[in-house]
Amino acid sequence: MAQVRLKNVFKQFQDVYAVRDFNLDILTGEFLVLVGPSGCGKTTTLRMIAGLEGPTAGEISISGNIVNDVPPKERNIAMVFQNYALYPHMTVYENMAFGLKLRRFSRREIDRRVKEAADILSIQDYLSRRPKQLSGGQRQRVAVGRAIVRKPAVFLFDEPLSNLDAKFRVQMRAELGKLHDRLKTTMVYVTHDQTEAMSLGDRIVVMKDGVIQQVAGPISLYDQPANKFVAGFIGSPPMNFMEGDIQEKNKHLYFVNQAFNLEIPREMTPNLLPYTGQKVVFGIRAEDIYDKLFATIKPKEHTVKARVDIVEPMGAETFLYLKKEDVSFIAKVGAHNKPETGQSIELIFDMKKTHFFDNQSEETIV
Ligand code: ATP
């Protein structure tokens, strides 16, 4: 069942369209992540669900009721902001209890809910402290606790981890995932960080310039990006792209440019045949390029000789920045595979894992 439904939603600020024709059903109990670069309209979308902004056009419903004209406090949602927005003069307990007091819950019920949330978030020992006596991570937990005590139908998170340092962010991310498993409440989460999106989302909505690019689970998004933008946005390092032509020789299709001449696998030919003689964009992820020395299968027609420009040891793996003619690309190879800078090496392109995009529309061809 759809817990939140956005139907043909637009949001315009003066001459800027922040969100354009947004259509989405957010399912009951799912963890949905909105991700995209700065300014793509994700916060605006979240704020419209919360009722902090009204859509210029379109319809928003929560639990089956259209809420366009319903004020935020009557929407049965709870929002956790990036800056936590805690009341500095109140203790942790009071911060969490405040919303319930306003809603005239009994003192006993408030106490029960605050203690239960404190327990879930392991902040029982800080209940009498004020926000400034807490670390960033502890403040973040209080902000989440304040949302939990409300027992809302939907949690909305706006970049809740971006003020934390990298290591703690990973820990809090895992805790939020566990919290969702425990509460099973619908969560809508905004981030610009694709790793965060991939690790938390049941489904991920990738946005660009106010428009949805693709809605899918993390693995489909990675393996079957709908267009070049999604392919480049999801994954680190970003997918390698290069322009070239599709050419037919002896009943085989090839991707050809000044540096490459790669045979295209048979299963891709039906989609690519109409592009014969035309320009396309070829995409391959760094981990799908292997050093020939360590490759198990070494097809000649997928072998590329290139010069090593930079060697970047990452610990668990090594990134090789490579150059052939004036085409640059990155390969992710084993940690102990460290060729010399300037050396020429042979690489195998795993062509079955490659992607082709229309040069004009940038939509995926195959
Ligand atoms: P970020 O990650 O930087 O927060 P975002 O994807 O959340 O970006 P939004 O904050 O939703 O993007 O903004 C989308 C667009 O709408 C941007 O171009 C922004 O400048 C514009 N915008 C947002 N709020 C307003 C406003 N109140 N008045 C005018 N323009 C706005």
Side-chain angles (χ1 to χ4, degrees):
M1 195 190 98
Q3 183 96 65
V4 181
R5 172 169 288 173
L6 294 105
K7 222 169 120 189
N8 306 113
V9 170
F10 287 76
K11 179 67 188 181
Q12 187 174 8
F13 294 106
Q14 293 94 40
D15 55 347
V16 181
Y17 264 111
V19 176
R20 277 185 282 183
D21 202 13
F22 195 104
N23 285 285
L24 184 70
D25 277 358
I26 302 170
L27 309 178
T28 304
E30 91 171 314
F31 200 127
L32 184 105
V33 180
L34 298 173
V35 69
S38 182
C40 72
K42 46 197 193 298
T43 298
T44 303
T45 305
L46 197 76
R47 288 172 60 83
M48 285 193 287
I49 299 172
L52 301 170
E53 300 283 357
T56 311
E59 210 171 83
I60 299 175
S61 31
I62 299 178
S63 310
N65 303 311
I66 296 173
V67 294
N68 285 42
D69 299 320
V70 176
K73 62 178 194 311
E74 289 166 27
R75 290 191 180 198
N76 199 15
I77 47 109
M79 186 148 167
V80 178
F81 297 92
Q82 180 178 357
N83 61 6
Y84 319 138
L86 300 176
Y87 299 111
H89 60 286
M90 291 185 192
T91 64
V92 168
Y93 186 102
E94 288 161 347
N95 261 287
M96 292 207 278
F98 187 66
L100 299 179
K101 256 192 204 163
L102 286 184
R103 286 174 177 77
R104 305 197 179 284
F105 278 74
S106 71
R107 196 178 285 202
R108 240 178 92 201
E109 180 61 12
I110 293 175
D111 193 59
R112 198 184 63 74
R113 289 196 184 192
V114 170
K115 295 215 167 116
E116 184 187 41
D119 206 32
I120 291 173
L121 296 162
S122 309
I123 48 173
Q124 308 93 322
D125 297 343
Y126 317 126
L127 289 174
S128 54
R129 291 201 200 168
R130 290 189 203 287
K132 70 168 191 294
Q133 299 168 307
L134 301 173
S135 71
Q138 290 162 345
R139 274 180 224 169
Q140 182 56 58
R141 279 170 219 247
V142 179
V144 173
R146 198 170 52 176
I148 291 179
V149 294
R150 301 257 314 278
K151 297 190 187 291
V154 186
F155 284 100
L156 305 177
F157 292 98
D158 189 6
E159 304 245 9
L161 308 184
S162 54
N163 287 341
L164 305 176
D165 66 55
K167 194 167 164 208
F168 201 65
R169 206 154 56 215
V170 174
Q171 188 190 329
M172 273 308 281
R173 191 170 80 198
E175 286 185 20
L176 279 178
K178 268 198 268 176
L179 183 70
H180 179 251
D181 288 345
R182 178 165 179 171
L183 300 177
K184 297 194 171 32
T185 310
T186 312
M187 295 188 173
V188 186
Y189 188 102
V190 161
T191 179
H192 62 273
D193 179 345
Q194 57 93 20
T195 318
E196 215 167 281
M198 294 288 276
S199 64
L200 283 171
D202 293 323
R203 283 194 306 158
I204 299 167
V205 178
V206 182
M207 293 181 72
K208 180 192 168 210
D209 298 335
V211 178
I212 294 182
Q213 303 294 305
Q214 188 170 5
V215 184
I219 302 300
S220 335
L221 217 52
Y222 194 78
D223 290 341
Q224 291 132 24
N227 57 34
K228 187 181 166 208
F229 176 80
V230 175
F233 189 76
I234 302 288
S236 176
M239 187 184 282
N240 295 296
F241 295 115
M242 39 196 106
E243 281 186 16
D245 299 320
I246 300 293
Q247 291 184 5
E248 190 180 354
K249 277 179 259 169
N250 311 323
K251 300 209 169 114
H252 286 283
L253 288 188
Y254 290 80
F255 170 74
V256 181
N257 65 15
Q258 74 274 32
F260 296 93
N261 189 356
L262 296 160
E263 190 184 319
I264 293 167
R266 281 251 176 255
E267 58 268 32
M268 290 184 175
T269 49
N271 295 54
L272 285 166
L273 205 55
Y275 285 85
T276 310
Q278 290 182 39
K279 249 194 193 355
V280 293
V281 177
F282 167 78
I284 183 164
R285 293 199 187 276
E287 64 267 33
D288 299 326
I289 301 175
Y290 319 127
D291 186 333
K292 190 175 169 188
L293 288 178
F294 299 88
T296 41
I297 317 168
K298 309 173 187 200
K300 215 169 94 234
E301 60 280 11
H302 298 158
T303 305
V304 168
K305 208 170 185 181
R307 189 168 55 83
V308 179
D309 230 8
I310 301 169
V311 178
E312 215 172 62
M314 303 299 290
E317 69 243 335
T318 299
F319 293 163
L320 302 181
Y321 291 73
L322 300 143
K323 209 156 188 178
K324 183 167 168 59
E325 311 298 331
D326 54 355
V327 179
S328 303
F329 57 100
I330 305 178
K332 195 194 271 189
V333 296
H336 302 289
N337 184 354
K338 294 199 184 73
E340 297 289 322
T341 308
Q343 189 187 336
S344 180
I345 60 167
E346 285 195 300
L347 302 139
I348 306 294
F349 278 36
D350 190 343
M351 291 299 289
K352 285 195 164 61
K353 302 215 176 125
T354 57
H355 305 258
F356 288 88
F357 306 94
D358 187 290
N359 195 39
Q360 297 296 318
S361 68
E362 302 196 340
E363 296 294 314
T364 298
I365 303 169
V366 63

